[in-house]
Amino acid sequence: MSFDLVIKGGEIATAEARYHADIGIKDGKIAAISEGLSASDEINAQGRLVLPGGIETHCHIAQESGMGLMCTDDYESGSRAAAFGGNASFVPFAAQRKGWGVLETLETYDGRAAPKSYLDWGYHLIISDPTEAVLAELPKAFERGVTSFKVFMTYDIALNDKQFLDILSVAKTHGAITMVHAENRDMIAWTTARMLAAGHTEPKYHAPSRPAAAEVEAINRAISLARMVDAPLFIVHVSTEGGAEAVRKARREGAKVFAETCPHYLFLTANDLDRPGLEGAKYICSPPMRDAATQDILWDHIQRGTFEAVTSDHAPFSFDEKGKFANGHDVPFTKIANGMPGIEMRLPLMFSEGVVKGRIGLERFVHLTATNPARLFGMRGKGVIAVGADADIAIWDPKEDWVAGECHDDMDYNPFEGWRLTGRPKTVLNRGRRVVEDGALTGKPGDGRFIARAPVDLTGFGGTHTPELNPATNFGADIAP
Ligand code: DUC
Ligand code: ZN
Ligand code: ZN
């Protein structure tokens, strides 16, 4: 058999196993995994780890914030940074603006992504205006391979519970999964108003303005709604003990409830918001970081399998008047752009602080950062090293000792700057194309392809649950029997 490229002599690690073998690649796919393979084009992976390329399923790229502010990274800089961070594909959001249709939204994002992305990409469709017309148009999203939605329970784009149920039931009918930003809007509004009235306007008040209770309440409510119609639910950026416990309990009881947490909840705390001057603004993100005790609890949930994924929630706003301070420098924390970068740091942080420090095994690292997101979000042929799969591969130097500094995004800060880490992705292939090789950019913008995703595959994800809502008799809700 002839190959276009062979990766030779590395240690392959998947979500199940570790072993030494060569990988033969042909036409962008893995064609053979064996010993003694050769080709005229070879990558020497001696002493290196050969992993499924990371899949980043929570990142904001070329997307306007709730304030209407375009984020700092477009598909070129965002996918470039993702690749340097060991990712071979990503799934940013396509955000419906009020009044926009479904296809209008997706086509707008196609125009932003297709000419620029170094990596294969898909979209989660954010629904902020679920009118009858939009609900009727949603099947068009499935036809195009957009099989996940995201809704908000906070901000101006928050849906009410009826609208949330509409989305859940349409998603269920078509085999999609609904993601949710779960924080209680009114609890936050109430707390924030009191803080501002008391003159508490600095960045450090961002954290107490969004108390853990607001997240826990919203997660429990989101779970109740999803269980009522037996629809799959994915809770993004869980930051609290109560939220993680609610997910765990729901899963134990057989509900199709899944969740992620993010590196900033594992490695940073609310104290970072209290850095001198306006430095704390760099760490404003929602939900806010909590405390060191919560970090330990979230790690414990990672170890116990509560989370399906660890994602970056890359939401880049530069530390200047185009980003964080678009409303001015002398403004309360509520007017500072919300979000932090992290797409290039997610995998190195999880490898160094998770795998190298013995908190998680390498197999779980692969599971949380590639294999499981691919499965949950219908990315067939990605997230695995197997014959027939896309040759999406990250080759790591597991021993490199380095200090985090500037990233390859368009941002002017890295919240993890100065962190000393062990292990670094060196070469990343997307469908057999070298995007990054030995730490240098070799890919081209526009080489990535749109990933038409399959419906969510829940095989093996635990028990089933009898919905209280009987579609034959209750309210005519549009759910599958
Ligand atoms: N939610 C996100 O998912 N990302 C950035 C900010 C936010 O509120
Ligand atoms: Zn969010
Ligand atoms: Zn986000």
Side-chain angles (χ1 to χ4, degrees):
M1 194 172 197
S2 70
F3 304 108
D4 302 328
L5 173 66
V6 165
I7 302 172
K8 271 196 93 65
E11 181 181 1
I12 297 170
T14 69
E16 281 94 34
R18 297 173 70 154
Y19 54 98
H20 285 84
D22 304 334
I23 298 178
I25 296 167
K26 178 105 186 132
D27 298 330
K29 297 211 179 275
I30 296 176
I33 304 171
S34 184
E35 284 176 354
L37 303 181
S38 61
S40 56
D41 189 9
E42 294 185 348
I43 294 176
N44 177 5
Q46 210 81 44
R48 306 250 150 142
L49 283 174
V50 180
L51 311 180
I55 300 179
E56 173 61 80
T57 52
H58 188 156
C59 53
H60 303 266
I61 307 290
Q63 184 195 328
E64 291 93 351
S65 71
M67 290 176 182
L69 183 67
M70 179 54 85
C71 70
T72 302
D73 281 312
D74 64 8
Y75 273 78
E76 182 169 340
S77 59
S79 63
R80 184 176 66 214
F84 275 96
N87 298 285
S89 64
F90 65 157
V91 188
F93 297 96
Q96 183 208 17
R97 300 184 74 171
K98 291 223 170 172
W100 284 13
V102 169
L103 284 183
E104 185 180 7
T105 305
L106 296 177
E107 280 161 12
T108 299
Y109 278 83
D110 286 345
R112 297 175 185 182
K116 295 198 168 185
S117 189
Y118 286 93
L119 299 179
D120 290 356
W121 80 94
Y123 312 116
H124 310 291
L125 177 65
I126 291 180
I127 303 171
S128 55
D129 192 15
T131 60
E132 287 295 323
V134 166
L135 291 174
E137 205 192 348
L138 279 176
K140 294 245 169 31
F142 303 112
E143 283 162 24
R144 289 184 41 137
V146 175
T147 54
S148 47
F149 303 143
K150 183 181 178 193
V151 301
F152 286 78
M153 298 171 85
T154 189
Y155 304 129
D156 291 346
I157 56 172
L159 302 192
N160 63 38
D161 293 349
K162 279 193 292 193
Q163 293 171 316
F164 197 166
L165 284 166
D166 281 339
I167 302 294
L168 285 164
S169 58
V170 174
K172 178 192 163 93
T173 305
H174 293 273
I177 189 161
T178 305
M179 307 163 85
V180 62
H181 176 132
E183 284 185 293
N184 178 308
R185 178 166 64 172
D186 286 351
M187 289 164 85
I188 291 168
W190 188 90
T191 316
T192 304
R194 271 152 188 79
M195 287 195 166
L196 297 181
H200 299 323
T201 57
E202 298 101 298
K204 69 176 175 185
Y205 292 105
H206 172 72
S209 79
R210 307 180 82 96
E215 178 178 292
V216 177
E217 187 285 327
I219 287 179
N220 277 294
R221 181 157 39 100
I223 290 173
S224 301
L225 297 171
R227 291 185 73 160
M228 189 174 113
V229 291
D230 194 26
L233 179 71
F234 188 93
I235 300 161
V236 297
H237 49 47
V238 174
S239 69
T240 55
E241 175 178 15
E245 287 296 344
V247 170
R248 193 161 182 81
K249 176 169 178 289
R251 278 289 285 286
R252 204 172 46 235
E253 292 170 1
K256 299 179 184 77
V257 171
F258 309 97
E260 65 180 17
T261 189
C262 310
H264 38 284
Y265 305 118
L266 300 169
F267 303 119
L268 303 172
T269 69
N271 292 339
D272 287 296
L273 289 162
D274 197 17
R275 294 191 182 207
L278 281 176
E279 284 287 299
K282 292 179 175 174
Y283 298 87
I284 288 184
C285 68
S286 299
M289 280 92 67
R290 309 294 175 180
D291 56 13
T294 306
Q295 292 178 337
D296 291 343
I297 289 163
L298 294 176
W299 273 111
D300 187 53
H301 277 282
I302 286 176
Q303 290 162 344
R304 289 196 279 149
T306 304
F307 294 116
E308 300 301 329
V310 176
T311 62
S312 72
D313 194 2
H314 183 76
F317 293 100
S318 51
F319 194 61
D320 59 19
E321 57 293 338
K322 289 200 216 112
K324 285 278 174 191
F325 305 112
N327 293 316
H329 283 82
D330 192 18
V331 292
F333 64 86
T334 48
K335 299 256 183 296
I336 297 174
N338 204 323
M340 282 198 305
I343 202 163
E344 191 169 333
M345 294 302 300
R346 170 184 79 123
L347 296 173
L349 282 164
M350 291 304 292
F351 186 91
S352 182
E353 303 306 294
V355 179
V356 177
K357 295 210 167 144
R359 289 173 166 128
I360 51 173
L362 188 54
E363 290 88 343
R364 182 162 288 269
F365 169 85
V366 173
H367 173 87
L368 286 168
T369 57
T371 309
N372 211 34
R375 182 173 181 194
L376 255 184
F377 291 114
M379 300 168 77
R380 300 232 170 107
K382 295 209 181 282
V384 290
I385 291 185
V387 172
D390 286 357
D392 283 9
I393 292 171
I395 303 174
W396 285 64
D397 177 348
K399 302 238 159 68
E400 184 170 326
D401 183 13
W402 59 290
V403 178
E406 221 176 287
C407 291
H408 295 81
D409 52 19
D410 274 349
M411 286 292 292
D412 51 2
Y413 77 93
N414 173 356
F416 302 100
E417 177 150 7
W419 278 62
R420 187 170 194 138
L421 300 174
T422 303
R424 193 170 194 178
K426 304 301 289 182
T427 295
V428 170
L429 310 182
N430 173 210
R431 282 180 290 103
R433 290 177 299 113
R434 293 158 160 96
V435 183
V436 171
E437 183 162 28
D438 266 331
L441 185 65
T442 47
K444 281 207 309 296
D447 273 356
R449 262 198 226 150
F450 176 73
I451 307 163
R453 292 181 291 119
V456 49
D457 174 7
L458 293 180
T459 316
F461 270 113
T464 51
H465 166 70
T466 308
E468 273 181 56
L469 189 67
N470 177 348
T473 53
N474 295 32
F475 320 119
D478 180 20
I479 61 172

